[in-house]
Amino acid sequence: MRIVPRQHHGALVLAVAGDLDIDNVAPLGAALESAARDGEGPVVVDLSDVSFADSTTVNVLLQGQSLLGPRLRLAAPSPFMERLIGLLGLDSALPVLQTVAEAVDPSLPS
């Protein structure tokens, strides 16, 4: 698992790649906690390169939503993440946008 943070038009984008599971998802939780403490703009989790995620990952994202509220947005879900999000109805709790650009500025068309 890898997380690459970057700034994009006033938003913190966390590009996450690889398999996310109980053994390695803690850095994502730490990054979301840090963003809640240190920032004010949107926090976008780019899921385009996530090949696997388990329930621990879902819990980390929901905890991030508790910390960040509407600032947290999920973007560009990989096919695996799209299925997981749909199966769990995660999109009813968190905004899920098709592109990072749309997540940074939801007023943009998809």
Side-chain angles (χ1 to χ4, degrees), residues 9-46:
H9 296 287
L12 172 62
V13 177
L14 301 171
V16 183
D19 292 352
L20 300 170
D21 59 35
I22 193 168
D23 293 327
N24 65 10
V25 76
L28 177 58
L32 294 173
E33 287 176 15
S34 176
R37 278 191 314 272
D38 302 335
E40 295 181 9
V43 177
V44 177
V45 180
D46 178 351

Side-chain angles (χ1 to χ4, degrees), residues 98-110:
Q98 292 306 306
T99 67
V100 170
E102 185 183 2
V104 168
D105 185 354
S107 67
L108 295 174
S110 42

